[in-house]
Amino acid sequence: MSIPSATSPSQPAAHQAAADLLWHTWHSCAVIGTLPAHCKPADRAQAYAVQALLEARSGQPLAGWKIAATSVAGQQHINVTGPMAGRLLAERVHTSGVVLSLAGNRMRVAEPEFVFRMGRSLLPHAATYSVDEVMAAVANLYLGIEVPDSRYANFVTAGEPQLIADNACAHQFILGPQAPSVWRSIDLSTHAVNATVDGSGRSATTRYTREGSGANVLGDPRVALAWLANELSSLGISLRQGQIVTTGTCMQPLELQAGDTVVVDYGVLGRMQARFQA
């Protein structure tokens, strides 16, 4: 799938109008019902063209990529046919232990994820990248927590093109510690991840734990990374050396409220935490 040439002089203007509206909505913590008809993307290719203009608004080099809807349950929840790629803007990436505000965030969930950092670039090419080829280009594995959100009042019914244009629901991202090198010998598809959500606003009965594994990420986080590399390749985009890719939640998203602390334990790979305030 490649981004087509503009079919009329108005198409680039329409993409810019959509990106401007989404950017303003995002940064003003507002929501919209839908993109106006004159600038609503008709398909995934047009949607990615809009998304690229969001990256252009950032004042820093792109930190990397996220993958949304990597589980069947997640795809069904937001009514999409498969995974979606989104951009991680550098100004929205934080470190483990950060205190993040939930102001303006209507999703209010945290998503524990496996994160790869690229050791070399994967350039667009005609052939499909294999999992082994993609993994050979990876430098390190990190732990991560994504805190997504949408600029649509009802993201469940927005539809795939609109969600991709909206940066695949990217919002904030927390990059945790680097995993020890033993990760390469571990089957990430079966690796267990445990999370605890606790906070001053919760009673003993509302504190909870949740379990997950890499199997929830397209069956294996490495498969998800290969999907991302091939999605970008089809769009004529390189997955660059040094960029990170967070591969999708490995468990049911963790519901948040102000005052919560989230601790995620990846076993031998490490642990990380974040706190959330109003």
Side-chain angles (χ1 to χ4, degrees), residues 145 194-198 254 261-265 271-274:
I145 298 174
N194 295 278
T196 301
V197 179
D198 195 1
L254 304 167
T261 295
V262 174
V263 179
V264 185
D265 188 345
R271 57 190 283 139
M272 64 180 296
Q273 71 174 50

Side-chain angles (χ1 to χ4, degrees), residues 26 30 56 100 106 186 205 235 252 267:
W26 190 3
L100 289 182
R106 292 169 310 105
I186 290 175
T205 57
L235 296 164
Q252 179 183 338

Side-chain angles (χ1 to χ4, degrees), residues 32-203:
I32 58 175
T34 184
L35 287 170
H38 74 275
C39 65
K40 183 183 294 185
D43 54 31
R44 289 173 70 98
Q46 290 187 17
Y48 279 122
V50 173
Q51 187 189 114
L53 295 171
L54 298 178
E55 176 187 345
R57 296 288 294 266
S58 173
Q60 302 181 51
L62 188 67
W65 299 86
K66 63 159 285 183
I67 312 175
T70 51
S71 70
V72 173
Q75 292 165 15
Q76 292 175 342
H77 177 59
I78 58 176
N79 294 297
V80 298
T81 60
M84 303 177 293
R87 286 158 162 89
L88 292 179
L89 304 185
E91 60 267 33
R92 297 274 177 165
V93 177
H94 312 276
T95 56
S96 182
V98 69
V99 179
L100 289 182
S101 171
L102 290 174
N105 187 324
R106 292 169 310 105
M107 283 189 173
R108 294 197 166 212
V109 295
E111 299 181 344
E113 309 197 4
F114 294 94
V115 187
F116 297 101
R117 186 182 294 278
M118 303 308 297
R120 61 178 175 84
S121 299
L122 293 175
L123 306 181
H125 67 165
T128 299
Y129 281 112
S130 69
V131 173
D132 287 344
E133 286 177 308
V134 172
M135 291 308 300
V138 169
N140 306 106
L141 176 71
Y142 288 77
L143 317 181
I145 298 174
E146 189 191 1
V147 185
D149 199 18
S150 175
R151 275 47 73 177
Y152 301 113
N154 190 348
F155 56 87
V156 171
T157 61
E160 201 167 73
Q162 286 204 106
L163 290 174
I164 290 173
D166 187 31
N167 208 11
C169 300
H171 184 50
Q172 307 279 7
F173 179 70
I174 307 163
L175 183 63
Q178 180 179 321
S181 59
V182 68
W183 74 266
R184 288 195 181 269
S185 63
I186 290 175
D187 183 355
L188 296 180
S189 70
T190 61
H191 189 73
V193 180
N194 295 278
T196 301
V197 179
D198 195 1
S200 57
R202 292 184 178 274
S203 66

Side-chain angles (χ1 to χ4, degrees), residues 182-266:
V182 68
W183 74 266
R184 288 195 181 269
S185 63
I186 290 175
D187 183 355
L188 296 180
S189 70
T190 61
H191 189 73
V193 180
N194 295 278
T196 301
V197 179
D198 195 1
S200 57
R202 292 184 178 274
S203 66
T205 57
T206 60
R207 297 165 189 163
Y208 68 94
T209 60
R210 193 161 289 164
E211 298 180 354
S213 75
N216 292 316
V217 187
L218 285 182
D220 189 319
R222 294 164 295 196
V223 171
L225 180 64
W227 175 87
L228 186 278
N230 286 307
E231 181 82 343
L232 297 186
S233 179
S234 74
L235 296 164
I237 300 172
S238 297
L239 179 54
R240 296 289 184 185
Q241 179 183 12
Q243 289 183 339
I244 57 174
V245 178
T246 188
T247 53
T249 186
C250 59
M251 65 179 63
Q252 179 183 338
L254 304 167
E255 302 86 2
L256 299 174
Q257 63 184 39
D260 279 347
T261 295
V262 174
V263 179
V264 185
D265 188 345
Y266 290 78

